[in-house]
Amino acid sequence: MTNDNRTEQEFLSSYNVHDYDVPLTSVDLVIFTLREQALQVLLVRRSDHPCKGKWSLPGGFIDVHRDKTLDDAALRKLREKTGVQTPYLEQLQGFGSASRDPRGWSATFAYFALISSDDIQLQHGGTADAAQWFTVAENLCSADLAFDHGEILAAAITRLRDRTENSSMPVHLLPAEFTLTDLQRVYELVLGRPVDKSAFRKRIKEGDFLEEIPGKMRHASNRPAQLYRLRAGHPALTLMRRIGGDAKA
Amino acid sequence: MTNDNRTEQEFLSSYNVHDYDVPLTSVDLVIFTLREQALQVLLVRRSDHPCKGKWSLPGGFIDVHRDKTLDDAALRKLREKTGVQTPYLEQLQGFGSASRDPRGWSATFAYFALISSDDIQLQHGGTADAAQWFTVAENLCSADLAFDHGEILAAAITRLRDRTENSSMPVHLLPAEFTLTDLQRVYELVLGRPVDKSAFRKRIKEGDFLEEIPGKMRHASNRPAQLYRLRAGHPALTLMRRIGGDAKA
DNA sequence: CAAATAGTGTCTGTAAGACACTATCAG
DNA sequence: CTGATAGTGTCTTACAGACACTATTTG
């Protein structure tokens, strides 16, 4: 009886989500920042079943009454955990299977956030679980994380490295004002290899997503360094190393 | 009462998905192929509400009893529509909001498939809705497709073009055996611009994902062309135009 | 032979990496 | 002055695009 002549109105009034077996649907976040001269990720200890006691990515079910969109749901979780209002946020990948959660068929939209450690105010107490920053290392993904969160974390690290090879992404790990040397250190940290200063600066300037802060320098016991900031109104991500040929022709 | 001392077993026995308001969760497919010298995409006319009568991407709800994983769900939909068993399939992006489906909060995992038109056997009759191939053009995304499928289609086209710039992806649009000129035509079609023959062939050979089929040529009223095929056991996607520097150091 | 497409060789500009050089501060 | 880091210039090499050239078939 699905192909009759009911109006859409009639159809909808007879439709009830609860009549069907549906997957659990959640949002999980991989939140990166720079702390203690290292790339770190935020994990939360689960205070309840399933996976009680294990470390997990922050996240949870979509609240169909409060969240208008998937991005809203991710932003809400991020703000609840870190207090950060306007992070760099992008969708990473979906993960779903019959077996990843013992409560039943489960699917999650994994997100990927970069924030400056200056902006963080970890939310403690109340219903918040214990949250802690972990330095990103190869063995962290194979640690005994909850659900398939090790796999999600590995995918996030891969994505961050890939984007670092050819985009401005890592700027979002820094505070609003920084020197080019600061930025170079971030690239080196994420890529795990040294980067040539001259070539790096050429590429960044060419990308044209930064601007000098007029007259503002950082002083130390050496030549002062020009401070830069993101050029206002520019996209959050600028691709560099444009591909050969004339991509517009 | 979430933080008590129940065992996981006790917890699960009291847990019921139907106690909560959950989003509808589905899988949608953007299936590309080459037909009539053009890049085409498969759309299905909806035979029922909502969006009755509109063209939509093939897809549907996850069947928590038949599908073990998200990828399984996508593969099942693809086989049901096209009969293709082993396509190139990758996850595209998740889309979800309170408003994209009038039945309620809805989220979808969009997938992205490339198939050779040689392999297609469109499934007609039975419960299958009318399916039809449409040539990909800019205006197709802004046509009046069901739900937010125009947006999903646009994202898929963007992804295909991006990958075509720097990977072997387009080979999956061709039959198992093809000439280098065939392949070049595909790249040109997807990118919408001419590609230099010499540079193209250098890059493809360097990518090392193809092999000559020994002694097998395609004959016409001109010099015969060597036929190639995917090198067995190689990954479905090979990146070309490797990034500068020494990415392994 | 001509026509047609397959396939290759050569030149050139551009840009990235390497690395040395200069600049400018504190103390 | 020295030490330290900021910032730039120069050289070399690799490679993609442009484009002309050769090769091999049918008819």
Side-chain angles (χ1 to χ4, degrees), chain B:
Chain B
M1 297 300 277
T2 61
N3 210 351
D4 56 19
N5 285 319
R6 292 178 298 175
T7 64
E8 176 150 9
Q9 195 56 48
E10 288 163 349
F11 167 83
L12 287 174
S13 65
S14 71
Y15 187 90
N16 188 337
V17 173
H18 292 164
D19 293 343
Y20 304 93
D21 276 337
V22 295
L24 294 163
T25 306
S26 58
V27 166
D28 286 307
L29 284 159
V30 184
I31 307 172
F32 289 112
T33 196
L34 285 181
R35 290 176 75 249
E36 303 165 353
Q37 322 255 52
L39 181 67
Q40 301 202 325
V41 64
L42 187 67
L43 297 180
V44 169
R45 189 192 284 278
R46 289 187 59 81
S47 63
D48 204 354
H49 297 295
C51 297
K52 185 171 179 174
K54 290 191 181 179
W55 291 100
S56 71
L57 298 172
F61 296 122
I62 292 167
D63 183 331
V64 300
H65 302 109
R66 296 171 62 191
D67 304 318
K68 289 284 174 233
T69 66
L70 281 178
D71 288 7
D72 283 351
L75 269 176
R76 179 171 61 81
K77 301 283 179 196
L78 184 94
R79 288 174 182 154
E80 286 173 4
K81 292 295 175 197
T82 67
V84 172
Q85 294 297 312
T86 55
Y88 176 83
L89 186 71
E90 82 171 37
Q91 206 185 106
L92 174 61
Q93 194 189 326
F95 295 81
S97 77
S99 56
R100 64 184 292 275
D101 187 318
R103 286 168 290 192
W105 223 105
S106 152
T108 192
F109 294 90
Y111 275 79
F112 180 90
L114 304 184
I115 61 183
S116 161
S117 57
D118 286 14
D119 300 337
I120 301 170
Q121 297 178 306
L122 275 193
Q123 311 295 307
H124 292 300
T127 59
D129 301 315
Q132 190 176 312
W133 292 100
F134 287 80
T135 295
V136 169
E138 300 312 323
N139 64 343
L140 185 57
C141 300
S142 38
D144 191 24
L145 301 185
F147 308 111
D148 53 0
H149 288 189
E151 192 187 338
I152 297 176
L153 178 58
I157 294 169
T158 300
R159 176 88 129 240
L160 175 60
R161 295 222 168 105
D162 284 353
R163 290 260 198 279
T164 299
E165 294 282 6
N166 62 9
S167 86
S168 63
M169 178 179 277
V171 288
H172 301 285
L173 290 165
L174 288 172
E177 305 187 349
F178 50 87
T179 67
L180 290 185
T181 302
D182 291 340
L183 188 57
Q184 187 181 336
R185 295 275 170 277
V186 180
Y187 275 77
E188 289 175 335
L189 205 67
V190 173
L191 295 176
R193 68 168 192 259
V195 165
D196 181 80
K197 183 167 53 160
S198 173
F200 179 76
R201 292 165 101 99
K202 265 186 272 181
R203 269 178 43 187
I204 296 294
K205 295 220 165 142
E206 207 172 62
D208 199 40
F209 55 93
L210 297 184
E211 61 183 7
E212 299 183 4
I213 307 174
K216 202 153 178 195
M217 317 287 276
R218 176 184 298 163
H219 292 266
S221 65
N222 50 27
R223 176 170 172 177
Q226 176 66 51
L227 283 165
Y228 287 79
R229 65 182 167 219
L230 273 173
R231 213 181 268 284
H234 268 235
L237 210 68
T238 303
L239 294 179
M240 297 181 289
R241 270 229 211 305
R242 68 251 124 253
I243 106 144
D246 197 347
K248 56 186 174 300

Side-chain angles (χ1 to χ4, degrees), chain A residues 20-78:
Chain A
Y20 304 93
D21 276 337
V22 295
L24 294 162
T25 306
S26 58
V27 165
D28 286 306
L29 283 158
V30 184
I31 306 172
F32 289 113
T33 195
L34 286 181
R35 290 176 73 248
E36 305 166 351
Q37 321 254 51
L39 181 67
Q40 301 202 325
V41 64
L42 187 67
L43 297 180
V44 169
R45 189 192 283 278
R46 288 186 60 81
S47 63
D48 203 354
H49 296 296
C51 298
K52 185 171 179 175
K54 289 192 181 179
W55 290 100
S56 72
L57 297 172
F61 295 122
I62 291 167
D63 183 331
V64 300
H65 302 110
R66 296 171 63 190
D67 303 319
K68 289 285 176 231
T69 66
L70 280 178
D71 288 7
D72 282 350
L75 270 174
R76 179 171 60 82
K77 300 284 178 194
L78 184 94

